[in-house]
Amino acid sequence: MAECAYRTTDSPFGPLLLAATTEGLVRVAFEHEDLDEVLASLAASISPRVLRTGRRTDEVARQLDEYFAGRRRVFDLPVDLRLVRGFRRAVISHLGAIAYGSTASYAAVARAAGSPTAVRAVGSACAHNPVPVVVPCHRVVRSDGSIGQYLGGVEMKAALLALESAA
């Protein structure tokens, strides 16, 4: 039976829950999310075997530490996008193309994902990104240059963008 391994790790923004399958990182959850609900969702959608262990997530934690310290610009991790389908998956799959220190508008991402009028759907896809930070939805901003919303909070999004622009 498949299993999902998880652990928590510290970040400058509070603890992060990291979960991985044999395919790769499947979920990053922020402290303000209901972590019991996140784990229950993983059990329902992936496997009832959700185990607390560093196995499969130690490398994720190490690379996140390097990123937050300003020593990593690109994550070299397998990512399992099984929690994302349809247009949201097209959007999430495109986000890795937005370079470190750069941003793209919701409209530009909609065009790149093949649906130029789906600007609000891009926002929804970013809000439901199961692997934020690693898949950089924080790099998607409004067309007027304002940063917009973020699952981790507007302050975290601003801090991530500032971290990347300072490098």
Side-chain angles (χ1 to χ4, degrees), residues 11-16 28-32 64 67-68 132-133 138 147 150-163:
S11 83
F13 308 100
L16 299 175
V28 174
F30 300 113
E31 179 179 28
H32 71 271
L64 281 166
Y67 170 80
F68 291 129
V133 183
H138 62 276
I147 65 171
Y150 187 60
L151 179 61
V154 175
E155 297 82 15
M156 182 177 182
K157 184 173 184 174
L160 291 172
L161 292 173
L163 169 79

Side-chain angles (χ1 to χ4, degrees), residues 39-154:
L39 294 173
S41 175
L42 292 170
S45 58
I46 295 174
S47 168
R49 292 185 51 147
V50 179
L51 309 171
R52 184 179 191 99
T53 175
R55 197 181 85 214
R56 289 195 216 129
T57 56
D58 286 342
E59 181 63 14
V60 178
R62 185 183 69 75
Q63 289 191 30
L64 281 166
D65 285 345
E66 292 172 354
Y67 170 80
F68 291 129
R71 297 188 315 269
R72 175 170 291 277
R73 292 178 174 221
V74 176
F75 290 96
D76 184 22
L77 300 165
V79 176
D80 181 345
L81 292 178
R82 75 176 72 195
L83 299 175
V84 190
R85 290 176 179 57
F87 182 69
R88 284 183 179 171
R89 188 173 187 134
V91 170
I92 299 301
S93 296
H94 173 73
L95 297 178
I98 306 170
Y100 182 96
S102 300
T103 59
S105 70
Y106 291 99
V109 173
R111 284 190 301 276
S115 191
T117 60
V119 176
R120 285 180 170 238
V122 168
S124 177
C126 289
H128 291 92
N129 177 5
V131 285
V133 183
V134 174
V135 175
C137 55
H138 62 276
R139 296 179 189 155
V140 182
V141 298
R142 293 179 174 159
S143 294
D144 67 4
S146 61
I147 65 171
Q149 299 298 309
Y150 187 60
L151 179 61
V154 175

